Amino acid sequence: MASLQHRKSLERTDEKLQTRTEDEEKNAYDVAVSEVESTEGDEALKLVGRERVAQFSDEYNKKLRRKLDFMIPPLCAAVYFTQFLDKTSLNYASIMGFPITGQHYNLVSLAFYVGFLVWEFPTVYISQKLRVAKYLGANIIVWGIILMCHAAATSFGAFFALRFLLGMCECCVAPILILIISMFYKKDEQGTRVSWFYVMADIVSGLTQVFGGFVAYGISFYDGHAITPYKIVYILLGGLAILVGISVVIWLPDSPVHARLLTKEERIAVLERVRDDQGGMENKQLKKDQIIEALTDVRTWFIVLTTMMTSIPNGGLSNFSNIIIKSFGYTSKQTLILSTPGGVVAALTTLSCGWYSDKKNERMIPIIFALVPTIVGAAMLIGLNGSGNKGALLFGKFRTHAFPKWLSLTWTAATYLIGTFGSALSSVYAYNASNTSGHTKKNTINAITLVSFGLGNIIGTEIFQPKDAPAYIPGKIAIMVLLTVQLFISLVLRFINLRLNAKKKAVLEEMKAKHGWTDEDVQRERERHAFMDLTDKQNPYFVYTA
């Protein structure tokens, strides 16, 4: 294991340094670091050296960040926008003449996440060997074609197979987007940028529910007989995916090293901007010891739990929300248009949590902010079930003596604010970007996170059972309980990171005392470690974001 051998080499070098002069010490360390540069360091070392040699002004860096913001988040947003629409296309089709119903509908919904789950690890490790943006673009084009093929399918088996393939193609999206954001942006910028791709398309991608709802609503007025309305949805969304995929192949950069739309000076400046974060860059070598570290890191399994707690409700609501709203007594057209305000609320929540995440250097607290409204809303939907007033369920316009005026506000929260929990996953993505170093470890943890997402969604498709219609009380109880558990998991994970930072600080103080380093020496060593492709545990200069 190359990285393990390298660490032992540095430890042996460190022991020898105690008996050498300052010049000899520096030369010995240079030799050890040079070995990393030539064998297993990041690709960033092709452009920048072990130590910072180029300085850029704050004004230059701000201008560069603006250029990146115009280039990367919009394309990431377009990808996520397209993926969300395509994944939830079944939700729109379900009330527009889709031929599969009942338990078979549940299984077709589940098929997407089975494909997602099966292919997650292979696709992440394949992408590590290739140019990640090009690989992503190719997958988008293929899934656009698959989506259009839904219009030709007629049987349960065909729809199941197509949804399975769709899940395989789409499972690479989040890991690659998280990786790209982590390569181009500093830690205190990542939460905001992740929230942008999580909710923005044109302006806000989280409004996919709004966009998709209005598109499906418009199509629902089509009364021709040449083609069933749900088939139009699949053809339009598939064509959109193909266009986005082509755009990604052409314009989305793979890494700062290969960003063709940046000058060489700008590429160097991007790398120097993120050097102190110790997050590292690209590395094509698959490192077994980093995979083992990812699997044995207790934080990985807390991320698994928190992702599952979010994904199970997502799996249910993303495919059954329109069915639930329609069960209140609305027509299909009314259901499509009335479902859209929930998307606005979810988008605003995600943007707010992303901003707060970077502003306060927090990742777990924004998750708590996102969960509480959903827990309260689910509790009210359960407790006030059976009111018999469909308007109250959506708008809070219940005006009887039994339910006072203030309760109408609670109904509003219980319906339109129940979607706020979705922004918790955005914070999990930002957490992974900011708290993991080592390219193979990053890819492994991102893959594990998305496998957890797939498993959670598979389970989620089964929490709303046809026998529980129209109230679906067991499903609503499940959502409330799961998100309450997630609150406590988030607090535990935050506590672990703070403890790890305290331990790293103590180790760093010992190193300073042992070698007689000044603050300038520590900064020099920090810069030298930045692009060695060390994991967050291997790198003593890595600082976790709580």
Side-chain angles (χ1 to χ4, degrees), residues 132-145:
V132 290
K134 306 301 180 290
Y135 180 74
L136 173 62
N139 273 273
I140 297 171
I141 293 170
V142 171
W143 95 47
I145 295 170

Side-chain angles (χ1 to χ4, degrees), residues 241-351:
I242 292 172
L243 291 176
V244 170
I246 293 171
S247 300
V248 167
V249 170
I250 296 173
W251 289 301
L252 187 65
D254 300 285
S255 74
V257 179
H258 302 292
R260 293 184 296 105
L261 297 181
L262 299 178
T263 66
K264 183 176 181 179
E265 180 183 71
E266 289 172 333
R267 281 179 274 157
I268 292 173
V270 170
L271 294 171
E272 295 298 351
R273 284 182 76 245
V274 301
R275 185 190 284 269
D276 284 342
D277 284 344
Q278 305 293 303
M281 284 290 143
E282 235 183 341
N283 189 294
K284 300 300 183 185
Q285 183 181 352
L286 191 64
K287 300 181 179 179
K288 184 178 178 181
D289 65 314
Q290 292 196 11
I291 296 175
I292 293 172
E293 183 177 312
L295 295 174
T296 55
D297 189 336
V298 67
R299 297 175 310 127
T300 301
W301 302 107
F302 277 110
I303 285 295
V304 167
L305 287 175
T306 195
T307 304
M308 290 277 286
M309 297 302 101
T310 301
S311 302
I312 293 173
N314 181 73
L317 292 174
S318 64
N319 289 297
F320 287 88
S321 60
N322 281 347
I323 293 175
I324 292 172
I325 293 174
K326 188 177 180 181
S327 73
F328 296 160
Y330 291 104
T331 66
S332 294
K333 292 184 176 65
Q334 289 172 330
T335 297
L336 287 168
I337 207 69
L338 293 176
S339 67
T340 58
V344 178
V345 174
L348 292 176
T349 303
T350 300
L351 289 174

